[in-house]
Amino acid sequence: MMKYFKLVFVIILLSSVQNSFSQANMIYDWNKVVLDTTIQEDILLGYCTATGLRDSLIFKEYFEVAKQEYTPTIEAFTGLMDSLSKVEITIIFGTWCSDSQREVPRVIMLLDELGYPMNRLNIIAVNRQKLFPRVDLSNYNFEFVPTIIFYKKGIEIGRIIELPVETLETDISGFLLKNI
């Protein structure tokens, strides 16, 4: 009898968690295109997915450019794949920003090449004022885009602001090596 109650409790708990995720997905339009009246251009605004960026009419051209100009190298990640899979990454970017147009597709290409679990990647598109209306982004403490933040167990272990200090591979593997 006790096993039955435990099973029912687990089922109810799991369905409420799934419901929460479904509600979060309904609250925000993913990969939303809006007119930014300050620059009179369509931009992505809000939560995005890597697939949504690749397929977006206003951002996919930058993936095409990145494919021609950038080849991810994974040698720097030898022995770090397990550590990388435990890291959560947040990218804050603007589709209107030339640094974002260059770096965000490259980061996503590198993560794809490394087999990074994309469900651990959070992508937030901001407007020209670096805002996502109705969402408080102050906890990210960013001024410039793109800002790419790496977290391990909820603690920031590194960030790339606008462009890597050395290369994406060197900077990211360095964050991982310091925090194994």
Side-chain angles (χ1 to χ4, degrees):
M1 187 70 154
M2 189 61 154
K3 287 182 182 179
Y4 173 75
F5 286 118
K6 286 181 183 178
L7 178 62
V8 169
F9 176 75
V10 168
I11 290 170
I12 291 170
L13 181 65
L14 289 175
S15 68
S16 69
V17 168
Q18 182 180 12
N19 244 354
S20 297
F21 286 124
S22 296
Q23 289 172 357
N25 284 335
M26 290 189 303
I27 292 172
Y28 299 107
D29 292 329
W30 290 78
N31 309 303
K32 185 176 182 177
V33 176
V34 299
L35 175 65
D36 187 331
T37 56
T38 60
I39 57 175
Q40 295 303 312
E41 287 181 19
D42 283 340
I43 62 167
L44 285 167
L45 184 65
Y47 296 113
C48 298
T49 62
T51 302
L53 293 182
R54 276 189 214 95
D55 295 344
S56 166
L57 293 177
I58 56 177
F59 208 72
K60 71 179 177 181
E61 70 182 276
Y62 305 113
F63 279 90
E64 295 305 317
V65 171
K67 286 178 192 175
Q68 295 171 6
E69 296 178 353
Y70 173 72
T71 304
T73 56
I74 61 171
E75 290 76 25
F77 295 91
T78 302
L80 296 174
M81 298 306 292
D82 186 53
S83 184
L84 177 65
S85 69
K86 294 176 183 168
V87 169
E88 186 169 303
I89 303 170
T90 297
I91 299 173
I92 303 170
F93 80 110
T95 54
W96 43 267
C97 167
S98 60
D99 291 331
S100 294
Q101 294 163 359
R102 181 188 60 249
E103 297 302 329
V104 172
R106 291 177 181 197
V107 170
I108 292 171
M109 288 171 59
L110 175 61
L111 295 175
D112 278 339
E113 187 73 22
L114 292 167
Y116 179 78
M118 291 301 189
N119 63 329
R120 299 186 59 80
L121 176 64
N122 303 303
I123 305 172
I124 304 169
V126 295
N127 64 17
R128 189 79 173 149
Q129 291 76 37
K130 299 181 186 102
L131 299 172
F132 170 16
R134 300 185 327 223
V135 175
D136 181 12
L137 300 177
S138 63
N139 59 322
Y140 293 110
N141 194 27
F142 75 100
E143 273 185 74
F144 304 101
V145 291
T147 295
I148 306 159
I149 310 169
F150 300 81
Y151 299 94
K152 187 172 185 181
K153 296 181 181 175
I155 297 169
E156 183 176 328
I157 62 168
R159 74 173 50 201
I160 296 171
I161 301 171
E162 292 186 301
L163 59 143
V165 173
E166 292 183 42
T167 66
L168 286 172
E169 293 84 353
T170 302
D171 288 10
I172 296 170
S173 63
F175 302 150
L176 297 174
L177 282 168
K178 289 178 187 171
N179 294 281
I180 290 182

